[in-house]
Amino acid sequence: MAEKESTVYIVDVGSSMGSTQVGRDVSDLDFAMTYIWDKITSTVALDRKTATLGVVGLRTDDTENELSHEESFEHISVLHEISNILLPDLKELRSKIVLSSTDRGDAISAIVIAIQMIIKYCKKLKYKRKIVLVTDGRGPLDADPDSVQEITNKIKQDNMELVIVGVDFDDAEFGFKEEDKDPQKAKNEQIFAELAESCGGIFGTLQQAVEELGMPRLKTTRPVHSYKDQLTLGDPVEYDSAACIHVERYPRTMVRRPMAASRFVQRQDPTDDSIPSTGTVVHDEDIPMPDADGNELAGVRSSRTYQVLDEEAPGGKRDVDRDDLAKGYEYGRTAVHINESDENVTKLETQKKLEIIGFVPWANYDRFMSMTVSSVLIAQRTNSISIMALSSLIHALFELESYAIARLVAKDDNPPLIILLAPSIEVDYECLLDVQIPFAEDVRSYKFPPLDRVVTVSGKVIKEHRNLPGDALSSAMSKYVDQMDLSTFGRDDDGNPSEYMPMTDTFSPVLHRIDQAVRWRAVHPTEPVPPPHEILVRYSNPPEELVKRSKKRLEKLMAAADVKKVPPKVRGRRRNRNEVKPLSGLNVEALLGGDQKKAKLSAQNAIPDFKRLLDSAESIDALRDAAQQLGKIIEGRIKDSFGNIAYARALDEIRTLRDEMTEMEEPALFNDFARQLKRKLLAEELGGNRKDFWWEFRKSKLGLVDKKAVETSDVTEEDAKSVSYKPLPPLSYQTTTDLNSSGH
């Protein structure tokens, strides 16, 4: 279970926060909220019930807190009580955090309010408690030594962390110092620094905090064991000498996926006829999810129905239950069914076990055999005998430079896996690292032609060939690679050469850019998303200094390789173009292929035949005939497809038709086909319900050719979007499977 967290943010909204300092084009409050919103949205993105936060406004026009009857707690407002925060809460906070018209309000008293909120919410439970104060330090402070000492003791007693971040606060370590600082602000900075130091907290300048926001925050997860039992060497049932070690297996590396999207619909009255009949919107079980406008959303669940042909049923089809069906598998274009009793024969009954079945030297193992991410195998923490036994095995493998091959069944009746166990000995721990490797039947060996020589049909070996690099090219490439070496281009803290791209400084742009965009949009629904942080694009291009230094080497390499610039492809009509005639005057294609102008397209070789017809076309009628032939083949392929098995081929043919008509500046031929195809799909004229093909059509971005692509098109960009996306087919919530075509 994740650790419980409770954080209170104190935001200074006094009138002095409305000023704009030199070097910034935003007010101090907007600059401070850049840091606050990033922290709040990061907590929201965790999507954990145990991560809670509250917000307190300092130097507000009103006073809203439990100690408002005392004068020192005036102009302090609790904007959000400690709780989980959702998207509507963010919208409400945005409306509350506005610049006030007063400078009255004590920051020390605001810290007291935050302490009280945490004590009231967390009670005596185990929580990670934190208070974050963001201010410009220009307001009055009630820094009574006794009161400050009492606050310090309470923070230490309850294990709270105090973070004080100031706008334009002096920070020698960061290298920032505000010139002509107001004496009152300088005094307040000193008080804040002493308070943070006495509490063991953090004191810093907002400039540094905002700059560090671009550094991706790594997510710490608590590992969960995937296997917890014995590691055996030999059969302990038959042999007393077999070794049994109690071990635990945990993931060492995991693949992190980008944030996934979810589908929601606006919650409506279940009795309302406007709810789509093809969707399932659950009201009793789903937890309401408010959107940015406060409307409740409900999760969309797909429903699947099965139908068979029945002439007596309305519409010629009858719904059947899933339990009445036999499980089938695709074998080519045939559906092969298998009953439950026969299927049980194919299942291998296994028992939970991890057993070593062999050993292999390091030199005999190829790294490409590793199939998965790595896991770590350690001895049971409370079993000293197993710790000693596993340590002996690890050191034996290390000294003999060998790996162990083991058979793993993580749970009963799970399919067995073959894993490779490698010893790992560090200063403070030792363990076995494992990766999955393939069974012998899973390995496919292929022979590829060598890269350093050409072998003719007769077996003759040729070392010099136009497809092989010569000595001059190899030498030029080698020197260029050496010149572009990144392993020593960087510099460490002492100025010595070091690696330019260390693993600890490289982050996935996909993961963190999506995370940045989502968090920004949650707080700024209408403003454009800012560019990615510098750390994410730092290594997108080679260093300019290195490129400049290697320019001469690159020019020599281009000369040795005889690199020439390819002229841009000229778009336009290919009809009636001047063909290059052979010197003999004979048309080989005409001699071998006959009259291509009257040829018909074959479904087995549609795309090459279509292109040959286009090459020989001399009129618009010939182009229209070729496009119509290919269109009929595409429609037939969709109609005769078993499920979606032929959709990929049909999409390739549609893409070819679109590209060729675009290049010939005849977009109307493709646009007419696309409109006709959509009409037939919606009317179920292509083998029944094939609306799912239109979704594949849209995903492949095969919309109408508009004026932006070809000037001769009569379709605007808006018209193209209208045809592609409106009206939406109702298949977005339901999948209908026609089983009669498979014989069930």
Side-chain angles (χ1 to χ4, degrees):
M1 182 178 178
E3 189 177 12
K4 297 179 181 178
E5 302 177 7
S6 182
T7 305
V8 175
Y9 294 95
I10 304 174
V11 184
D12 189 347
V13 295
S15 60
S16 62
M17 292 286 287
S19 60
T20 302
Q21 307 302 325
V22 178
R24 292 196 296 266
D25 54 358
V26 296
S27 66
D28 291 347
L29 179 59
D30 292 336
F31 187 51
M33 291 310 300
T34 303
Y35 172 77
I36 294 293
W37 286 133
D38 185 271
K39 293 298 182 181
I40 292 178
T41 53
S42 296
T43 303
V44 176
L46 293 177
D47 194 22
R48 290 196 347 238
K49 292 183 178 180
T50 57
T52 57
L53 61 87
V55 180
V56 176
L58 171 61
R59 295 198 290 171
T60 57
D61 291 327
D62 300 326
T63 302
E64 295 181 10
N65 61 77
E66 294 184 356
L67 303 177
S68 58
H69 57 278
E70 299 185 21
E71 182 179 357
S72 59
F73 293 95
E74 292 182 351
H75 299 285
I76 299 175
S77 300
V78 178
L79 305 181
H80 182 78
E81 292 286 354
I82 298 178
S83 64
N84 292 109
I85 189 167
L86 301 175
L87 192 59
D89 300 322
L90 289 177
K91 183 179 180 181
E92 184 180 358
L93 271 178
R94 290 184 62 211
S95 63
K96 291 182 177 180
I97 301 178
V98 294
L99 195 67
S100 70
S101 58
T102 181
D103 279 333
R104 297 179 59 191
D106 179 26
I108 302 296
S109 300
I111 295 177
V112 174
I113 296 295
I115 294 175
Q116 186 181 26
M117 292 172 61
I118 292 177
I119 294 175
K120 180 179 178 181
Y121 181 83
C122 300
K123 299 180 175 63
K124 296 294 183 180
L125 301 177
K126 185 179 180 180
Y127 269 86
K128 184 178 179 182
R129 300 167 169 86
K130 187 175 183 179
I131 299 174
V132 179
L133 169 63
V134 181
T135 178
D136 63 357
R138 297 181 183 274
L141 286 183
D142 183 9
D144 179 63
D146 295 336
S147 301
V148 172
Q149 184 61 41
E150 188 176 348
I151 293 172
T152 302
N153 296 337
K154 188 60 178 177
I155 291 176
K156 289 183 177 180
Q157 179 182 345
D158 289 3
N159 294 322
M160 298 182 188
E161 181 185 4
L162 178 62
V163 178
I164 300 177
V165 181
V167 180
D168 294 332
F169 278 14
D170 294 342
D171 192 330
E173 294 184 1
F174 179 67
F176 179 84
K177 181 176 178 61
E178 184 181 14
E179 301 296 336
D180 300 326
K181 186 185 295 292
D182 181 69
Q184 179 65 33
K185 181 178 180 181
K187 181 180 178 181
N188 291 345
E189 283 187 31
Q190 183 66 26
I191 295 174
F192 285 135
E194 293 175 355
L195 175 60
E197 183 179 359
S198 62
C199 296
I202 300 174
F203 173 84
T205 182
L206 185 61
Q207 281 81 345
Q208 181 181 6
V210 171
E211 286 187 13
E212 292 179 352
L213 294 179
M215 181 64 66
R217 289 173 287 276
L218 303 182
K219 185 179 180 181
T220 303
T221 58
R222 181 171 297 181
V224 178
H225 63 78
S226 58
Y227 178 83
K228 190 175 183 180
D229 210 315
Q230 290 183 341
L231 168 65
T232 61
L233 178 58
D235 190 353
V237 177
E238 297 185 6
Y239 305 101
D240 296 336
S241 59
C244 298
I245 307 173
H246 292 273
V247 296
E248 299 176 2
R249 182 172 182 255
Y250 295 90
R252 183 178 185 181
T253 56
M254 296 289 289
V255 178
R256 183 182 173 188
R257 307 292 181 186
M259 188 182 303
S262 301
R263 292 187 303 174
F264 293 93
V265 294
Q266 186 172 337
R267 185 180 291 271
Q268 303 180 33
D269 186 357
T271 60
D272 192 349
D273 296 336
S274 63
I275 296 180
S277 60
T278 54
T280 302
V281 182
V282 182
H283 293 267
D284 296 333
E285 300 179 4
D286 284 356
I287 300 176
M289 177 66 70
D291 64 4
D293 297 325
N295 301 319
E296 290 188 353
L297 303 179
V300 177
R301 296 184 180 180
S302 300
S303 63
R304 185 181 294 270
T305 61
Y306 298 87
Q307 297 177 335
V308 294
L309 296 179
D310 188 350
E311 297 179 356
E312 299 179 358
K317 294 182 180 181
R318 174 171 53 89
D319 292 345
V320 295
D321 294 332
R322 180 183 175 87
D323 298 336
D324 298 334
L325 304 175
K327 184 178 291 186
Y329 297 90
E330 291 185 18
Y331 185 75
R333 295 180 60 85
T334 307
V336 181
H337 74 277
I338 180 172
N339 54 42
E340 187 175 355
S341 59
D342 293 338
E343 189 176 10
N344 289 334
V345 178
T346 64
K347 291 184 178 180
L348 180 64
E349 296 182 0
T350 57
Q351 294 181 346
K352 183 178 179 180
K353 182 182 292 187
L354 175 59
E355 53 183 342
I356 296 176
I357 58 178
F359 301 92
V360 59
W362 293 354
N364 293 356
Y365 178 75
D366 296 319
R367 293 292 297 272
F368 62 80
M369 301 292 284
S370 302
M371 298 173 57
T372 60
V373 295
S374 60
S375 298
V376 59
L377 202 71
I378 62 174
Q380 198 176 60
R381 293 183 177 88
T382 59
N383 193 327
S384 58
I385 297 178
S386 296
I387 294 175
M388 183 66 68
L390 185 64
S391 177
S392 301
L393 176 61
I394 294 172
H395 283 269
L397 291 174
F398 183 80
E399 292 174 5
L400 296 176
E401 297 184 352
S402 299
Y403 298 131
I405 308 296
R407 179 180 182 269
L408 170 65
V409 179
K411 296 180 181 179
D412 291 343
D413 295 329
N414 274 18
L417 304 175
I418 300 297
I419 62 175
L420 181 84
L421 301 177
S424 176
I425 302 176
E426 302 295 339
V427 177
D428 52 349
Y429 72 95
E430 53 189 24
C431 62
L432 288 174
L433 304 178
D434 73 79
V435 291
Q436 183 182 346
I437 58 177
F439 288 89
E441 294 81 1
D442 297 331
V443 178
R444 300 289 185 271
S445 299
Y446 298 94
K447 290 185 177 180
F448 296 94
L451 299 176
D452 58 344
R453 62 189 183 278
V454 174
V455 181
T456 63
V457 178
S458 61
K460 182 180 179 181
V461 178
I462 301 176
K463 294 289 186 178
E464 295 183 1
H465 190 267
R466 59 183 178 86
N467 293 334
L468 296 177
D471 295 338
L473 179 57
S474 299
S475 176
M477 176 60 76
S478 178
K479 294 178 180 179
Y480 178 68
V481 171
D482 293 339
Q483 191 72 28
M484 290 290 293
D485 184 15
L486 297 174
S487 61
T488 57
F489 184 74
R491 290 291 183 270
D492 58 16
D493 296 337
D494 298 330
N496 300 321
S498 64
E499 186 179 1
Y500 175 70
M501 293 176 57
M503 289 293 294
T504 55
D505 292 343
T506 55
F507 304 92
S508 171
V510 175
L511 294 175
H512 301 291
R513 174 57 173 165
I514 292 178
D515 179 64
Q516 175 197 5
V518 170
R519 289 190 285 110
W520 175 270
R521 181 60 68 232
V523 182
H524 308 88
T526 58
E527 298 180 16
V529 179
H533 296 300
E534 187 273 337
I535 186 65
L536 298 180
V537 297
R538 178 182 300 172
Y539 303 116
S540 300
N541 298 299
E544 295 183 2
E545 180 183 348
L546 192 60
V547 172
K548 184 178 180 180
R549 194 170 65 187
S550 307
K551 184 177 181 180
K552 293 184 178 180
R553 293 290 184 187
L554 179 60
E555 293 174 351
K556 292 181 179 179
L557 175 62
M558 295 174 63
D562 194 20
V563 176
K564 298 179 180 179
K565 185 177 181 180
V566 178
K569 186 177 181 181
V570 180
R571 296 177 56 182
R573 300 177 184 270
R574 295 192 303 177
R575 293 182 282 111
N576 300 325
R577 66 186 187 275
N578 295 325
E579 299 285 350
V580 179
K581 297 182 179 180
L583 297 177
S584 62
L586 299 176
N587 190 337
V588 179
E589 291 187 0
L591 294 175
L592 298 179
D595 189 0
Q596 297 292 337
K597 299 179 183 179
K598 299 180 180 180
K600 299 296 182 181
L601 301 184
S602 64
Q604 293 77 17
N605 200 34
I607 293 179
D609 288 351
F610 176 67
K611 291 184 177 181
R612 279 196 292 269
L613 279 182
L614 296 184
D615 289 338
S616 60
E618 297 180 354
S619 64
I620 186 63
D621 293 334
L623 289 178
R624 183 179 293 106
D625 178 67
Q628 291 175 352
Q629 289 190 53
L630 184 58
K632 291 180 180 179
I633 291 176
I634 295 171
E635 292 177 355
R637 206 176 299 286
I638 299 172
K639 184 177 181 179
D640 299 334
S641 174
F642 177 75
N644 61 356
I645 196 171
Y647 285 2
R649 190 171 181 183
L651 291 172
D652 287 340
E653 293 167 347
I654 294 176
R655 185 177 293 104
T656 300
L657 176 61
R658 187 180 190 277
D659 294 343
E660 294 295 331
M661 294 300 101
T662 300
E663 185 177 352
M664 291 190 168
E665 297 184 359
E666 295 293 346
L669 297 179
F670 174 78
N671 293 341
D672 293 343
F673 162 77
R675 293 189 184 98
Q676 189 74 1
L677 176 64
K678 181 177 181 179
R679 185 193 65 78
K680 292 183 178 180
L681 289 172
L682 297 180
E684 299 187 1
E685 298 179 5
L686 298 180
N689 191 348
R690 296 285 185 178
K691 298 184 181 71
D692 54 339
F693 180 81
W694 189 253
W695 289 92
E696 299 295 333
F697 181 93
R698 285 172 48 183
K699 281 179 14 181
S700 302
K701 299 181 180 180
L702 298 175
L704 301 186
V705 181
D706 55 21
K707 292 183 177 180
K708 187 176 180 180
V710 179
E711 294 181 357
T712 58
S713 176
D714 58 353
V715 177
T716 64
E717 189 173 355
E718 291 73 16
D719 294 339
K721 291 181 179 179
S722 176
V723 173
S724 297
Y725 295 98
K726 297 179 183 179
L728 292 177
L731 195 65
S732 57
Y733 302 124
Q734 174 175 333
T735 303
T736 302
T737 305
D738 188 354
L739 295 176
N740 200 74
S741 61
S742 58
H744 299 294

